[in-house]
Amino acid sequence: RPICEIPSNLRCLLVARVALGEVHEMYLADSTLRRPPIGPDNARCDSVLGVPRQRGGCVDYDEFVVYTMSQATPQFIVEYEHLASCRCRSCVKESQ
């Protein structure tokens, strides 16, 4: 969290326009990647997709990673609050 007065129940979602280019699909996590792997055509990919569990991967939803700042342009910031009755992963974790 940034060092400023933000209510603890406020959440922000950043919506960006992202140029994915050639995507490399990853089914297992690899925290050592510092740039995209080499693709099947022996050229470096532009981004990585963390494949969701329902398709044999290891994350809950599609997760894209880009390695060059110029590939992403922020478009909107959506501010929202969770209901007191919310049972999402973040709210359950905070209540423990």
Side-chain angles (χ1 to χ4, degrees), residues 16-86:
R17 187 174 302 243
V18 181
L20 297 173
E22 187 68 34
V23 179
H24 179 80
E25 293 188 355
M26 299 284 293
Y27 289 85
L28 299 173
D30 183 352
S31 61
T32 66
L33 284 181
R34 298 293 177 252
R35 57 186 182 165
I38 302 294
D41 60 353
N42 289 325
R44 189 160 302 279
C45 293
D46 301 298
S47 60
V48 170
L49 164 63
V51 177
R53 286 181 185 88
Q54 69 183 22
R55 295 197 321 261
C58 63
V59 295
D60 293 332
Y61 302 98
D62 287 336
E63 292 185 16
F64 291 94
V65 178
V66 294
Y67 295 83
T68 306
M69 288 177 48
S70 61
Q71 285 180 258
T73 304
Q75 299 291 301
F76 308 99
I77 296 176
V78 179
E79 296 179 347
Y80 64 98
E81 294 180 25
H82 287 237
L83 298 173
S85 61
C86 182

